[in-house]
């Protein structure tokens, strides 16, 4: 096999792998932002507004408190990343620079935090 053919295959594989990795990250972000957007407004709701339901006020307050308890149970690094990304609205790159960690570490901690919260809510 000539070198040019080998190099072409390796470059295409690398690009494909990179695309799939960013696609997974993008899908996670899109699913969260889709929950946060309304059909009529382009404004992003705050995380607390996601919890608002047409139920009784006491049930609404109870569910908000439950979610806040779950968020406070996160490990320190995941908690810090989650707060900066969700509540402060920072991008992964900004969080990485602020916490002196890599963007990949921010993404991993954020995904783990979301998985923990989802798992806790399912119980």
């Amino acid at each position: 096999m000539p070198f040019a053919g080998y190099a072409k295959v390796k470059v295409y594989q690398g690009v494909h792998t990179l695309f799939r990795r960013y696609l997974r990250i993008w899908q996670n972000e899109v699913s969260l932002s889709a929950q946060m957007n309304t059909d009529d407004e382009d404004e992003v709701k705050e995380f607390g507004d996601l919890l608002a339901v047409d139920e009784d006020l006491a049930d609404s307050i109870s569910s908000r408190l439950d979610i806040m308890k779950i968020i406070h149970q996160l490990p320190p690094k995941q908690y810090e990343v989650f707060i900066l990304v969700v509540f402060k609205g920072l991008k992964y790159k900004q969080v990485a620079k602020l916490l002196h960690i890599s963007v990949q570490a921010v993404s991993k901690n954020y995904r783990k935090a979301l998985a923990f919260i989802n798992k806790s809510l399912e119980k």
Side-chain angles (χ1 to χ4, degrees):
M1 176 179 229
F3 177 75
Y6 174 78
K8 182 179 176 181
V9 169
K10 287 298 182 184
V11 169
Y12 279 121
Q13 287 176 346
V15 169
H16 181 69
T17 302
L18 185 65
F19 173 76
R20 289 183 56 202
R21 184 178 302 142
Y22 280 104
L23 180 63
R24 269 186 267 129
I25 292 170
W26 178 76
Q27 286 173 338
N28 288 340
E29 290 176 356
V30 167
S31 66
L32 181 62
S33 67
Q35 294 172 354
M36 297 174 80
N37 289 332
T38 61
D39 296 335
D40 300 329
E41 302 173 357
D42 290 336
E43 298 177 12
V44 176
K45 293 183 178 181
E46 291 191 24
F47 188 74
D49 293 341
L50 292 174
L51 308 176
V53 289
D54 296 333
E55 299 174 359
D56 188 32
L57 179 63
D59 291 339
S60 177
I61 292 172
S62 173
S63 64
R64 288 178 190 216
L65 290 175
D66 291 342
I67 290 181
M68 290 309 294
K69 286 178 186 176
I70 293 170
I71 291 172
H72 285 293
Q73 291 174 357
L74 289 168
K77 188 64 84 173
Q78 291 177 15
Y79 176 80
E80 200 169 10
V81 168
F82 186 80
I83 294 298
L84 290 173
V85 171
V86 174
F87 290 109
K88 303 249 179 187
L90 298 178
K91 305 279 185 202
Y92 286 178
K93 203 175 213 180
Q94 295 169 325
V95 174
K97 191 173 186 178
L98 186 66
L99 300 178
H100 305 291
I101 57 176
S102 68
V103 176
Q104 292 83 0
V106 171
S107 175
K108 183 178 180 181
N109 282 306
Y110 182 69
R111 283 186 282 127
K112 283 185 174 183
L114 285 178
F116 178 81
I117 292 169
N118 285 335
K119 184 178 178 182
S120 297
L121 288 174
E122 289 175 357
K123 291 182 181 178

